[in-house]
């Protein structure tokens, strides 16, 4: 199976291909790859905690003081909001509009690593539909949802991902995640039969989001002065996965995090916020957590670690997290789009010169994915995997 996925365009060194067996065990079957049993302790289902209406937050959810979110103002001046890109201007705008939008895109990726995209061409009914089935799923009785359990050490199914030890703090969030493309990463046992339209809606949605990712990557390439198909050609059959995050309201949003700080291991991430959603997503900019204001019908896009490496750090994979709200729940539907596991990643030659020496080494992307999903979320630390220490550093 692994062989059929190998694209002839990519030469894999013997050392890397020997790692593929374990990569595939994890990434294709999503079976745990730990040689030892991992003990994650009791992981409470957050919706069930909420239902029990206990006023005290269980200890495992209470963050150390330094990690607790300072409840930032929810409305900031526009200058501190992430840029909004009008995709219609890139797809079919006149020359002037196109040029302006490309410049905005490049500034967003350099300064923020995030932007919101409007006029993305995805049917708004479809966005509504995916949100509806996601909410219907989360509202099912817990016993029903637990028919699709996320086994410790894996990243698909219902539960909490990235928990590896008993003393690790937990996020105030219930997750449901699925691998989508290539088909070999799917685990059919984890696809819910209820709500009945769930699977069809996910299929249609993921096809549309895939197209969007391809378009965005073309424009990202152009914004870097590269050939528009450079990423598409490099990536092979891109890996696509989806995670639905449901953040119940929390009586003490000042003590917990909805999702721990992290950067995404993908090339690009597309995040849909539930309609009328409260502010929950925050990104770290100049040491300040900046809330992302939901924009009606927009999708939030962020640069993942892969594009940061390929552009030698010019485009940033920003650290981000989610916080909770005292009265309101929040839903996000997140798509991760990444290169095929076989390909080798490293700064592109066009992004490296004397002034900008390589900041990252070359590595196999499957190896990075494996590293990513076998470590807890901890800011940008995961990318240390690829970093070349600057000269003169100890
Ligand atoms: C993620 C993520 C943020 C959110 O799933 O990787 O960053 O607002 N989610 O749900
Ligand atoms: Ni993320």
């Amino acid at each position: 199976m692994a062989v059929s996925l190998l694209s002839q365009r990519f030469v894999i060194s013997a050392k890397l291909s020997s790692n593929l067996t374990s990569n595939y065990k994890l990434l294709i079957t999503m079976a745990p790859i730990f040689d030892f049993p991992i003990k994650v302790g009791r992981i409470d289902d957050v919706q069930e905690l909420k239902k029990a209406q206990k006023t005290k937050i269980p200890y495992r959810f209470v963050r150390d003081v330094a990690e607790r979110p300072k409840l930032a103002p929810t409305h900031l001046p526009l200058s501190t909001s992430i840029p909004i890109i009008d995709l219609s201007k890139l797809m079919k705008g006149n020359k002037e509009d196109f040029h302006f939008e490309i410049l905005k895109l490049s500034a967003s990726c350099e300064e923020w690593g995030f932007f919101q995209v409007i006029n993305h061409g995805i049917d708004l009914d479809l966005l509504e539909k995916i949100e509806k089935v996601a909410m219907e799923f989360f509202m099912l009785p817990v016993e029903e949802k637990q028919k699709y359990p996320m086994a410790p050490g894996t990243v698909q199914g219902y539960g909490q991902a990235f928990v590896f030890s008993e003393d690790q703090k937990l996020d105030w969030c219930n997750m449901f995640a699925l691998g989508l493309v290539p088909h070999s990463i799917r685990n059919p046992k984890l696809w819910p039969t209820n709500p009945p339209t769930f699977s069809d809606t996910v299929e249609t949605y993921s096809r549309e989001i895939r197209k969007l990712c391809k378009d965005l990557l073309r424009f990202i390439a152009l914004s870097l002065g590269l050939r528009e198909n450079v990423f598409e050609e490099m990536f092979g059959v891109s890996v696509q996965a989806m995670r639905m995050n449901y953040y119940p309201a929390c009586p003490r949003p000042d003590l917990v995090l909805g999702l721990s700080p992290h950067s995404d291991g993908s090339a690009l991430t597309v995040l849909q916020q539930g309609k009328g959603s409260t502010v929950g997503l925050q990104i770290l900019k100049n040491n300040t957590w900046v809330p992302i204001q939901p924009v009606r019908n927009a999708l939030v896009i962020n640069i993942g670690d892969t594009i940061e490496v390929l552009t030698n750090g010019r485009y940033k994979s920003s650290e981000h997290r989610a916080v909770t709200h005292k009265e309101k729940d929040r839903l996000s539907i997140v798509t991760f789009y990444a290169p095929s596991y076989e390909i080798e990643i490293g700064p592109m030659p066009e992004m490296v010169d004397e002034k900008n020496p390589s900041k990252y080494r070359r590595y196999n992307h499957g190896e990075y994915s494996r590293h990513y999903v076998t470590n807890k979320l901890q800011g940008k630390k995961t990318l240390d995997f690829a970093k070349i220490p600057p000269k003169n550093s100890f």
Side-chain angles (χ1 to χ4, degrees):
M1 173 177 56
V3 175
S4 68
L5 283 170
L6 293 180
S7 159
Q8 289 173 341
R9 255 175 301 163
F10 306 108
V11 183
I12 300 162
S13 75
K15 183 172 161 285
L16 292 177
S17 49
S18 71
N19 275 326
L20 288 179
T21 321
S22 51
N23 285 338
Y24 277 107
K25 197 167 154 205
L26 173 73
L27 296 164
I28 293 191
T29 67
M30 295 291 157
I33 51 151
F34 296 92
D35 295 334
F36 48 91
I38 54 168
K39 281 202 189 147
V40 296
R42 182 191 163 88
I43 300 184
D44 280 313
D45 182 285
V46 183
Q47 283 168 269
E48 297 306 300
L49 279 181
K50 183 85 201 351
K51 272 191 209 150
Q53 286 204 326
K54 295 219 176 80
T55 41
K56 211 161 171 265
I57 307 286
Y59 176 72
R60 275 195 89 181
F61 290 88
V62 178
R63 296 286 169 156
D64 296 340
V65 176
E67 277 190 324
R68 291 182 194 170
K70 287 197 186 51
L71 296 181
T74 46
H75 286 89
L76 292 169
L78 217 60
S79 58
T80 49
S81 296
I82 56 167
I84 296 177
I85 303 290
D86 184 341
L87 191 67
S88 66
K89 293 196 174 150
L90 292 169
M91 297 290 279
K92 46 184 189 233
N94 60 35
K95 219 171 157 185
E96 220 169 278
D97 284 347
F98 179 86
H99 192 64
F100 182 79
E101 221 58 24
I102 282 281
L103 288 180
K104 202 158 42 148
L105 178 64
S106 111
S108 318
C109 297
E110 278 183 14
E111 289 162 28
W112 293 87
F114 266 84
F115 55 91
Q116 308 214 39
V117 59
I118 55 166
N119 297 325
H120 41 65
I122 300 181
D123 189 357
L124 299 179
D125 287 345
L126 181 60
L127 300 189
E128 224 166 86
K129 249 183 171 165
I130 192 79
E131 204 180 306
K132 187 162 171 282
V133 292
M135 279 308 277
E136 281 173 11
F137 177 79
F138 282 113
M139 294 307 132
L140 291 173
V142 67
E143 304 77 37
E144 177 76 16
K145 290 182 281 185
Q146 284 172 346
K147 287 183 185 160
Y148 314 100
M150 187 183 285
T154 68
V155 287
Q156 292 200 48
Y158 178 74
Q160 277 219 16
F162 306 105
V163 184
F164 302 102
S165 72
E166 282 172 301
D167 51 9
Q168 193 181 324
K169 291 291 178 191
L170 299 176
D171 291 333
W172 194 263
C173 175
N174 285 340
M175 293 177 173
F176 181 68
L178 290 174
L180 300 168
V181 184
H183 253 72
S184 49
I185 66 168
R186 292 187 179 200
N187 182 345
K189 289 201 193 94
L190 295 179
W191 286 61
T193 46
N194 191 11
T197 51
F198 189 94
S199 298
D200 278 354
T201 310
V202 165
E203 296 284 13
T204 314
Y205 182 79
S206 65
R207 268 199 306 274
E208 291 298 309
I209 297 283
R210 195 170 180 85
K211 273 192 241 153
L212 175 66
C213 290
K214 286 178 196 276
D215 285 336
L216 288 170
L217 281 170
R218 280 197 297 120
F219 297 123
I220 287 175
L222 290 174
S223 76
L224 289 159
L226 302 169
R227 275 184 311 110
E228 64 177 336
N229 291 330
V230 66
F231 295 120
E232 196 55 28
E233 286 168 13
M234 189 192 304
F235 283 8
V237 177
S238 295
V239 172
Q240 190 178 340
M242 169 189 247
R243 186 160 70 224
M244 297 165 167
N245 303 311
Y246 178 68
Y247 306 97
C250 178
R252 292 295 304 269
D254 54 326
L255 297 181
V256 308
L257 286 176
L259 187 61
S260 302
H262 65 282
S263 63
D264 294 345
S266 53
L268 269 192
T269 302
V270 178
L271 184 142
Q272 178 180 337
Q273 313 215 52
K275 212 171 188 176
S277 160
T278 54
V279 181
L281 174 61
Q282 299 183 332
I283 66 180
L284 190 61
K285 187 161 193 278
N286 304 332
N287 280 321
T288 305
W289 288 102
V290 180
I292 305 289
Q293 305 293 335
V295 169
R296 224 169 134 227
N297 300 329
L299 294 166
V300 177
I301 312 293
N302 67 281
I303 298 291
D305 295 343
T306 305
I307 293 286
E308 175 167 324
V309 171
L310 289 169
T311 61
N312 199 25
R314 179 159 155 199
Y315 282 4
K316 308 251 164 359
S317 164
S318 290
E319 184 170 340
H320 54 284
R321 69 180 185 184
V323 295
T324 60
H325 190 277
K326 201 167 164 70
E327 275 115 34
K328 292 187 185 149
D329 60 353
R330 177 170 170 266
L331 173 76
S332 68
I333 297 165
V334 188
T335 300
F336 303 100
Y337 186 86
S340 168
Y341 296 133
E342 296 84 29
I343 85 147
E344 204 181 278
I345 295 287
M348 294 187 284
E350 298 90 334
M351 299 289 136
V352 179
D353 57 30
E354 245 166 59
K355 272 209 219 128
N356 301 291
S358 263
K359 295 195 186 92
Y360 309 94
R361 65 183 176 89
R362 296 191 72 75
Y363 57 87
N364 160 263
H365 178 67
E367 234 187 292
Y368 186 61
S369 297
R370 178 172 184 262
H371 171 76
Y372 191 92
V373 299
T374 52
N375 280 281
K376 68 174 184 179
L377 298 177
Q378 41 191 333
K380 288 210 61 169
K381 200 164 177 299
T382 329
L383 200 51
D384 286 351
F385 173 93
K387 278 206 178 116
I388 298 176
K391 282 213 173 93
N392 305 325
S393 79
F394 294 94

